Amino acid sequence: MTAQEKLTANVVVDTNPATGTAVAELSETNLEALPQMLAKAREAQAIWAAKSFKERAHHIQMMRSYIVDRADDLARTVSESNGKTLTDALATEVLPCALACKWYAKNAEHYLKERNRPAGSILFFNKRTHMLRVPLGVVGIISPWNYPLSIPFGEIIMALMAGNGVMLKVAAATPAVGRAIEQIVAAGELPEGLFQHIVGSGSKVATGFFDNGIDKLFFTGSVPAGKTLMAQAAQTLTPVSLELGGNDPMLVLEDADLERATNGAAWGGYQNAGQSCGGVERVYVVDAVYDQFVDLLAKKTRQLRHGIGCSGFDVDIGSLTTAGQLRTVQQHMEDALAKGARIEAQSRPVGNVENGFFFPATLLTQVTDDMLTLCDETFGPLIAVQRVANEEEAIRKANDSNLALTSSVWTKDNKRGRAIAARLQTGVTTVNDHLYSHGLSETPWGGWKESGIGRTHGPEGLEEMTQVKVVNWDILPAKRNIFWYPFDEATYNGIKNALLFVFPSSIGQWLGASLKLTPFLVKKMFTGWKTGD
């Protein structure tokens, strides 16, 4: 058996969810070869970690050039694999990747460079501390199908700029995007084996990662899958970063700009066929503007067109990505209607939508708190709007969730909006906007509660890709610390005087402690231990 045959096994077919046609075939990775693959990645990582931030940035900028030059091809690959429109793919997948290359290449050194740490007490005047951010080694990334390019690629760039090797497993539904990522990374001319793309089952790959000593796992996906991975990771104490979704609320106050608010709701709720963990799912509108808001959003919802996203530019919303997700959205809709919800408006189909996983953009009203679409993550193009008496009720309802990824507040008063934002229990809150901060490379991304642990993006994301290391040393060549052996009454009194020197109750006590401490300290630190031999 050749080396290539050993690494590959079954063929995986990538099917366009909007048309049902095959768009790519990839060979499934033979996971029996994972130990050798990881060993190769570790060899390459040692070479890569020795490079300066400037040298690493040069390779990343080569990737950025590739992305910009082939933006149309990348957008089409994402559209055909995921089902979203070409415009959506370009705006939310390709553009953020180019921006990520620029920001991390430029800023990684600033946030990860070695730093001095000031002494915390005068008692340690002879000590100096240096803080290092050391690469983890080889990190595993298991990414989802809703943003199959931009989610994993941002994490890849963070990992590389921090000095790590990367093992990537993209979602089984979008393997063609994984191959596109391979081509982008290849343009960076990295050491051979530093980055490797694995095709196969996410659960099997995760188990293989843990069994073979991956240094950290970054996972984006469902809450149940994240809990399973965290339990597995506990067996080896492998660190994990988990981004597990949301059921994100939008709060519309009586002084909101309703034109902007309804535009933002349509974008935040229907974009990517609603398959955004940080998208709008629940909208709480203050009674005074509820009717106007619903009327405006209904008109805009009816104007939207859903259809095959890769066929041109006459559609706004593509298909869902998997049959399973379509079933979930249908279930949430049926549950809402059975419990009294009303369909205010839906988007209209364009072209042939019979063969794909399409669901119209749908505005629901007369919704109640016990409906699935308000309790759980729908992850589809459903927007549920509920009337509330005031902002206090809106805040209470927004926080009443086990998921806490993002939220938004809509008001003309930014000061008021920021004050409410501080009270919302989510990792991100935006004022007068929604579903965009994931594209800000400088801004950390992640949530509270069951929305996950850890952060990606920004300085915090870079730090997640490193270990903290402290290096501490003496300035003067002292023989002993004051608390070292031998112990005697003088040692006890010396330490007690040190305590009173730092925390005196009066000037007199400080002066007395310092007069006693100084000779003891000098003698203990700068003379040898007299053993009597």
Side-chain angles (χ1 to χ4, degrees):
M1 181 180 292
T2 67
Q4 183 61 34
E5 288 171 337
K6 186 176 181 180
L7 288 175
T8 59
N10 299 326
V11 171
V12 176
V13 179
D14 192 329
T15 302
N16 186 334
T19 64
T21 58
V23 296
E25 291 185 356
L26 288 84
S27 296
E28 188 175 88
T29 305
N30 183 351
L31 296 183
E32 291 182 3
L34 195 55
Q36 295 94 310
M37 297 171 70
L38 270 164
K40 190 172 184 179
R42 293 195 185 285
E43 291 178 7
Q45 190 269 332
I47 298 170
W48 181 250
K51 292 182 178 292
S52 67
F53 285 105
K54 184 177 181 180
E55 289 172 321
R56 295 175 203 163
H58 173 71
H59 293 271
I60 302 305
Q61 300 293 19
M62 293 168 69
M63 297 182 203
R64 187 189 71 183
S65 296
Y66 180 97
I67 293 168
V68 174
D69 292 344
R70 292 164 179 80
D72 293 333
D73 294 338
L74 290 169
R76 180 163 293 279
T77 296
V78 171
S79 177
E80 291 177 343
S81 184
N82 161 277
K84 65 181 65 177
T85 67
L86 290 170
T87 303
D88 198 343
L90 184 66
T92 67
E93 301 263 27
V94 180
L95 177 59
C97 288
L99 294 173
C101 287
K102 179 180 180 180
W103 195 86
Y104 292 111
K106 179 180 179 181
N107 292 286
E109 181 174 10
H110 172 72
Y111 291 108
L112 299 181
K113 66 183 179 182
E114 300 178 6
R115 300 178 188 275
N116 290 323
R117 179 68 58 87
S121 169
I122 194 173
L123 293 180
F124 296 100
F125 72 93
N126 197 38
K127 299 290 185 182
R128 287 294 180 270
T129 298
H130 209 47
M131 302 298 299
L132 307 180
R133 283 281 177 180
V134 181
L136 293 166
V138 178
V139 301
I141 297 173
I142 298 181
S143 62
W145 42 256
N146 61 326
Y147 291 90
L149 178 61
S150 59
I151 286 179
F153 189 76
E155 293 173 353
I156 290 166
I157 298 305
M158 283 182 269
L160 292 175
M161 282 305 303
N164 298 293
V166 177
M167 308 290 286
L168 170 68
K169 213 300 288 188
V170 301
T174 55
V177 180
R179 184 166 64 186
I181 292 173
E182 283 187 56
Q183 294 164 348
I184 296 171
V185 176
E189 300 179 2
L190 303 178
E192 185 179 358
L194 183 69
F195 169 83
Q196 297 181 55
H197 172 216
I198 298 172
V199 180
S201 159
S203 60
K204 292 180 180 178
V205 171
T207 298
F209 281 164
F210 292 135
D211 289 346
N212 290 281
I214 202 78
D215 293 298
K216 188 170 185 176
L217 178 65
F218 291 80
F219 172 78
T220 304
S222 70
V223 172
K227 289 181 177 179
T228 298
L229 290 176
M230 194 168 181
Q232 280 186 275
Q235 302 305 308
T236 52
L237 291 181
T238 303
V240 293
S241 177
L242 307 174
E243 197 267 271
L244 306 178
N247 184 16
D248 293 4
M250 172 178 175
L251 285 64
V252 182
L253 308 185
E254 72 280 354
D255 66 340
D257 179 340
L258 296 185
E259 173 64 22
R260 180 172 178 86
T262 50
N263 290 339
W267 161 256
Y270 301 141
Q271 180 271 335
N272 194 23
Q275 299 171 122
S276 299
C277 47
V280 171
E281 298 214 357
R282 304 175 284 148
V283 184
Y284 301 108
V285 185
V286 170
D287 178 68
V289 294
Y290 175 86
D291 292 333
Q292 293 172 268
F293 178 91
V294 170
D295 182 62
L296 268 175
L297 184 53
K299 290 176 180 177
K300 291 168 181 176
T301 300
R302 295 186 194 104
Q303 288 293 309
L304 293 171
R305 305 155 296 175
H306 63 271
I308 299 174
C310 61
S311 62
F313 303 99
D314 60 343
V315 297
D316 304 295
I317 302 168
S319 72
L320 283 89
T321 306
T322 70
Q325 193 55 44
L326 176 59
R327 287 192 296 271
T328 297
V329 178
Q330 291 169 337
Q331 178 190 10
H332 281 209
M333 170 77 97
E334 293 165 2
D335 172 81
L337 295 178
K339 293 175 179 175
R342 172 181 170 180
I343 297 175
E344 289 288 341
Q346 290 185 308
S347 60
R348 51 195 172 91
V350 174
N352 179 15
V353 296
E354 300 302 318
N355 298 321
F357 304 139
F358 289 97
F359 194 94
T362 302
L363 176 62
L364 293 176
T365 58
Q366 298 181 17
V367 295
T368 54
D369 296 338
D370 62 336
M371 294 177 182
L372 289 175
T373 193
L374 268 77
C375 298
D376 300 332
E377 182 178 40
T378 300
F379 218 59
L382 295 184
I383 297 179
V385 183
Q386 191 175 81
R387 188 192 304 263
V388 294
N390 49 45
E391 71 176 56
E392 290 301 321
E393 184 181 4
I395 294 168
R396 178 177 57 79
K397 285 181 174 288
N399 287 338
D400 186 20
S401 176
N402 66 311
L403 298 173
L405 185 57
T406 82
S407 57
S408 61
V409 182
W410 300 74
T411 171
K412 292 178 182 176
D413 185 342
N414 273 328
K415 183 178 180 180
R416 181 188 184 191
R418 298 202 318 267
I420 293 173
R423 297 174 61 190
L424 293 176
Q425 297 168 3
T426 54
V428 177
T429 300
T430 50
V431 179
N432 295 323
D433 212 330
H434 204 112
L435 190 58
Y436 73 97
S437 67
H438 187 272
L440 302 179
S441 299
E442 70 275 15
T443 302
W445 178 260
W448 304 354
K449 302 180 183 178
E450 291 190 0
S451 283
I453 59 173
R455 292 294 183 271
T456 60
H457 297 194
E460 293 80 2
L462 286 168
E463 291 176 355
E464 292 261 3
M465 293 289 180
T466 64
Q467 295 276 19
V468 177
K469 184 175 182 60
V470 175
V471 178
N472 185 276
W473 68 95
D474 287 345
I475 303 171
L476 301 174
K479 304 294 184 182
R480 294 175 291 175
N481 292 326
I482 63 171
F483 45 84
W484 282 8
Y485 297 131
F487 285 170
D488 52 22
E489 186 176 2
T491 300
Y492 182 91
N493 290 332
I495 296 171
K496 180 70 178 293
N497 284 317
L499 180 68
L500 298 176
F501 173 76
V502 177
F503 305 106
S505 60
S506 66
I507 294 294
Q509 188 179 64
W510 175 83
L511 183 60
S514 62
L515 291 174
K516 296 174 183 177
L517 173 63
T518 301
F520 166 76
L521 186 148
V522 171
K523 181 179 179 182
K524 187 71 179 274
M525 290 182 63
F526 299 106
T527 63
W529 182 351
K530 301 296 189 293
T531 61
D533 293 339

